[in-house]
Amino acid sequence: MSKAMTEYRYNRLTWPEINDAIAAQKLVILPTGSTEQHGPHLPLDVDVFLCESVCLEVGRRAPDKVLVLPPVAYGLNLHHIDFPGTIHIEPEVFIAFCLNITKSVAYHGFQKILIVNGHGSNGPLIDLVARKTVLETPSLCFATTYFWFLLDEFQKIRETPVMAHADEFETSLYLYLAADRVQMDKAVEDNDRMGKYVSSDSTPNYPVRFNDYWGRWTRTGVHGDPRPATAEKGRRLFEAAVTGLLELVDELRRWPIEERADMHRLPAAKSIRW
Ligand SMILES: [Zn+2]
């Protein structure tokens, strides 16, 4: 059996093994995160470390079905730039960079690509990357965040109302995966400026999209309350995310790629490209 069916890390394969992986139509996963301040108690790598850890576990449990690319460790972050260490990538650059990755993967013949995001501000950008990949290649590209798959589980165990940033949820996951890198003695609670329709770090429950410079409304860089975080909560959240994504992998691998029907009576000008 080819190593392509047991190795789930994309760049651990040789090019002949990649040919085997293409023949098996493994789903290719691209994790995206950020290098960004996460309060005084967590390292800068939270978004990329948590997201990549979830994706690699999906690979470990389904090595015959997926290949996990090296993650994109930087994202849209200028709103955090007042906090030392944060790295910002312009949204146009991020979209172009990720699209170059998905198009390369599609070029080789992988028909299904999944972007799994771990940094909220990348959300609208990966949606566009997935859509542009579908429109510009013969492959299908899907975009999601691993947060989505653990929401139900978080509802059962959460002790704090806010799910945002360096909070109970992210801190619990980090405690589960690498407790030695979390400084719980420095964990503090903080909140954003809230109106009826708008908040300064508009989480999805607000109808108006808005994100202010964080240097305007917080001195800690935390949005939420990390203090009740535990490794056991993190374990349950991690399991929920991995289990949900494994189901998604099966659904996407089954998803058909149909021939497009052309409804023009006379030939369309198909040489035009946008
Ligand atoms: Zn985060």
Side-chain angles (χ1 to χ4, degrees):
M1 188 173 53
S2 166
K3 192 178 161 202
M5 301 313 290
T6 54
E7 176 57 68
Y8 55 90
R9 290 162 296 189
Y10 185 96
N11 61 354
R12 294 288 172 92
L13 296 180
T14 63
W15 69 257
E17 290 161 352
I18 286 284
N19 274 332
D20 298 334
I22 295 163
Q25 276 306 316
K26 296 181 85 172
L27 175 96
V28 177
I29 295 177
L30 175 63
T32 57
S34 70
T35 299
E36 157 195 62
Q37 73 82 16
H38 269 76
H41 69 295
L42 287 168
L44 304 181
D45 71 348
V46 171
D47 290 354
V48 67
F49 172 60
L50 301 184
C51 184
E52 187 186 26
S53 299
V54 167
C55 292
L56 288 174
E57 186 59 25
V58 169
R60 253 174 236 119
R61 296 191 198 178
D64 55 330
K65 296 176 184 171
V66 305
L67 283 179
V68 182
L69 284 159
V72 176
Y74 308 99
L76 192 168
N77 269 120
L78 198 58
H79 50 301
H80 283 279
I81 207 71
D82 297 322
F83 293 84
T86 298
I87 305 286
H88 168 64
I89 304 295
E90 282 289 273
E92 296 80 4
V93 176
F94 181 89
I95 291 171
F97 187 85
C98 292
L99 189 61
N100 281 193
I101 297 171
T102 57
K103 283 174 102 166
S104 301
V105 169
Y107 182 88
H108 296 304
F110 289 102
Q111 294 179 333
K112 306 285 178 60
I113 304 163
L114 173 64
I115 305 171
V116 178
N117 184 39
H119 171 55
S121 296
N122 290 344
L125 312 184
I126 61 155
D127 284 1
L128 288 174
V129 172
R131 291 179 65 156
K132 285 169 85 71
T133 307
V134 172
L135 299 175
E136 296 174 19
T137 77
S139 300
L140 300 188
C141 183
F142 308 84
T144 191
T145 162
Y146 76 88
F147 312 149
W148 197 90
F149 297 91
L150 52 73
L151 283 178
D152 287 348
E153 191 65 18
F154 190 51
Q155 288 307 339
K156 294 179 205 157
I157 57 179
R158 66 192 297 173
E159 295 176 67
T160 61
V162 178
M163 182 179 185
H165 181 82
D167 52 5
E168 182 185 4
F169 137 70
E170 282 190 325
T171 306
S172 292
L173 269 180
Y174 214 123
L175 281 171
Y176 171 58
L177 291 166
D180 57 318
R181 306 206 295 256
V182 183
Q183 302 177 55
M184 281 309 281
D185 55 318
K186 300 196 174 108
V188 290
E189 191 252 344
D190 202 352
N191 220 332
D192 64 346
R193 181 172 296 119
M194 290 172 281
K196 181 177 177 189
Y197 299 111
V198 186
S199 80
S200 46
D201 173 29
S202 288
T203 39
N205 44 331
Y206 285 89
V208 177
R209 304 313 306 149
F210 171 61
N211 209 301
D212 207 349
Y213 276 102
W214 283 46
R216 286 184 171 140
W217 56 267
T218 171
R219 299 291 175 270
T220 67
V222 173
H223 183 190
D225 189 352
R227 292 170 302 173
T230 66
E232 171 56 17
K233 286 179 188 165
R235 185 191 66 74
R236 289 178 60 172
L237 298 173
F238 187 79
E239 274 304 312
V242 170
T243 307
L245 281 166
L246 282 166
E247 263 184 43
L248 176 65
V249 165
D250 286 334
E251 178 168 326
L252 299 187
R253 292 186 80 228
R254 284 193 306 266
W255 200 266
I257 305 181
E258 298 190 48
E259 285 296 319
R260 289 161 55 200
D262 185 349
M263 265 54 84
H264 294 89
R265 195 181 311 143
L266 297 174
K270 290 187 176 170
S271 59
I272 294 179
R273 290 283 178 268
W274 281 264

